[in-house]
Amino acid sequence: MPRPLHRGVSGIRVSGNSNDFWDAEVKDNTEKEDLDRNHSSSQSFLSLRSPFRFFFQDNSPSKYGVTENGFTADPFGGGTPRSRHRLTMLFLKLSLVVIVILALTGSFWWTISISTSSRGHIFRGYRRLQEQLVSDLWDIGELSLGPSRLKEIEFCSEEFENYIPCFNVSENVALGYSDGNEYDRLCGHGSRKSCLVLPPVNYKIPLRWPTGKEVIWVANVKITGQEVFSSGSLTKRMMMLEEDQISFRSASLMFDGVEDYSHQIAEMIGLRNESNLIQAGVRTILDIGCGYGSFGAHLFSKQLLTMCIANYESSGSQVQLTLERGLPAMIGSFNSKQLPYPSLSFDMLHCARCGVDWDKKDGIFLIEADRVLKPGGYFVWTSPLTNVHTFLRDKEKQKRWNFVRDFAENLCWELISQQDETVVWKKTNKKSCYSSRKPGSFPPICSKGQDVESPYYRPLQNCIGGTNSRQWVPIEERATWPFRSNLNKNELELYGLHSEELVVDTANYKTAVRNYWSLLSPLIFSDHPKRPGDEDPSPPYNMFRNVLDMNARYGGFNAALLEAGKSVWVMNVVPTTGPNYLPLVLDRGYIAVFHNWCEAFPTYPRTYDMVHADGLLSLETSQYRRCTMLDLLTEIDRLLRPEGWVIIHDKAPLIESARALTVQLKWDARVVEIESNSDERLLICQKPFFKRQATS
């Protein structure tokens, strides 16, 4: 059943006056079965604790005019007579002329008055005023379009149920891409569809964590019975198809199980079991070609955070199934471009029959693996190619194995153990290893110009990266988890931060999380009312699992959620348009990625239970307008699960613009005033569960 924003939580002042903030009616909780119905605004209430209070009715006319792309301008009279319309247009034209004259006059006056000593400072301020002028003129020009263009966005056709912009294999083939590159990400002009992606016909809300880790609804993912039992990654066969569900198990016909396998890896490193990986400095693991996430699911109980990456797959996607289980995953490949992670990001890389031919293309895939691996980190490879008994009978396999072994040595990786089909290397923790290699050794060290700390889908490089990074710190010398999340003074200095800044950021997000939960808990538990004699509902620790933070900054939201005991994982995104604290977030032991929000995020539809965006609208609108606010919100809709929640915190005019656009997205929305800051607002939205009608 769909959950409207509220169902009569007590504590709201209700007045019969039509001019009061809230109407006294409460909508019935009905399921949205028909696509053709008109989506009306919710007339329900939200209960709110200090320091928030409700400010506007949902989807009601804002005090700011809103354009189609979501930017605001001050409103004018809304009368219908032709004379008033002409007067309004005349006033707009006169305003435009006055603004231009004032801008030119101010520019002339400033030019003749500035001195040599203050020229640089004034120029920067003048440049900001110029950018603001361009923004204001844009808003004035768009105002004449009026609210008539704010029409609801149509739903995509059935073929786009699993639509991911930037991944179009057939189009890439037509453009001449081959040799695996046709599966690469290609974000060109027009790659985004202007429609809302609907779930499959029999889609069901995922089971709550931790039940959802072991059982998912088969209708929620695109997969065939044959793909369930197909060969491939080590963990792909650890699942069973049972009517309308897929259940995962650790036992396997091919292996003793994930638990024994991870125990073996720990012993090969020299540890008693996988629980001791934390003490060895391991916290974050990049699982390449992860199967369906069983390796990461097991390690999660050991406080280890595993990030799954795999190629785009139109059906039977490893990434889609892993996300459906409530585990971290995103589309990523080694085909031709660097991953959107900084150098020295992960404590361990794991590849179990992952499909990457490490010996191909002169070892360039191994170079990229080395780039994202921290000093002292581990590279674990399980493959038939590493089995001694196999390659002794097959000269070609022996040749391939010898290449990988020798190349790893040139990368300054130490082969510390080899058992059956599994090999474990340890990356050097000393930069001096590279200079001690034989002269002319390949690959060379990257120059400072080549060694970009946080590349964004750059072509793969044929040189060793990360050696110029200030974050070159061996994993053994870092604090172990969970102390690692609180970086010390010396570590923060590497990022140009003071410890007080991190303390303030953490405290602010602790308060924000408490307030968010005071907002959302009554709404979610209103679906499960207390029966006479029952105890109060347990805390909603598992009402969200997959969380996306679109503007992560230092990772404070992630830290606050974990400290509050929420069983969530957070995809921390650092926008390419803002300050780059991505290495900081990763060094705190969290999952994080670099992304341009004018492009589609590399994941499947219906990925996240909650999307959080603090200051993102201000950040994006301060740039030259490469995309509209509506583009951004439409992408959020694609990423959000039905009945999922959106929390946007930003300046009041931008929040009101976004709220008006939620009409087009068919979201239930409320604007909340922050009493401690009159210039900012919260926008709380829920995506309804629209069902596609089955075709006969």
Side-chain angles (χ1 to χ4, degrees), residues 4 14 65 81 83 95 120 123 145 203 221 243 317 379 438 451 539 624 654 670 688 694:
V14 180
S83 59
S95 299
F123 176 77
L145 297 175
Y203 181 89
V221 295
E243 296 183 357
S317 167
F379 182 84
K438 296 178 181 179
D451 196 2
Y624 291 109
L654 292 171
R670 285 286 187 273

Side-chain angles (χ1 to χ4, degrees), residues 13-31:
R13 179 177 61 84
V14 180
S15 171
N17 192 323
S18 61
N19 293 323
D20 283 346
F21 286 141
W22 300 104
D23 196 302
E25 294 181 21
V26 180
K27 286 201 316 181
D28 291 331
N29 182 21
T30 59
E31 187 169 5

Side-chain angles (χ1 to χ4, degrees), residues 508-544:
N508 288 341
Y509 277 112
K510 284 181 182 178
T511 301
V513 166
R514 285 195 300 269
N515 290 325
Y516 294 164
W517 252 249
S518 71
L519 267 169
L520 298 175
S521 297
L523 312 182
I524 294 175
F525 279 107
S526 63
D527 279 344
H528 308 280
K530 178 181 175 183
R531 295 181 176 85
D534 287 354
E535 296 181 357
D536 290 332
S538 58
Y541 68 95
N542 61 348
M543 65 188 191
F544 302 120

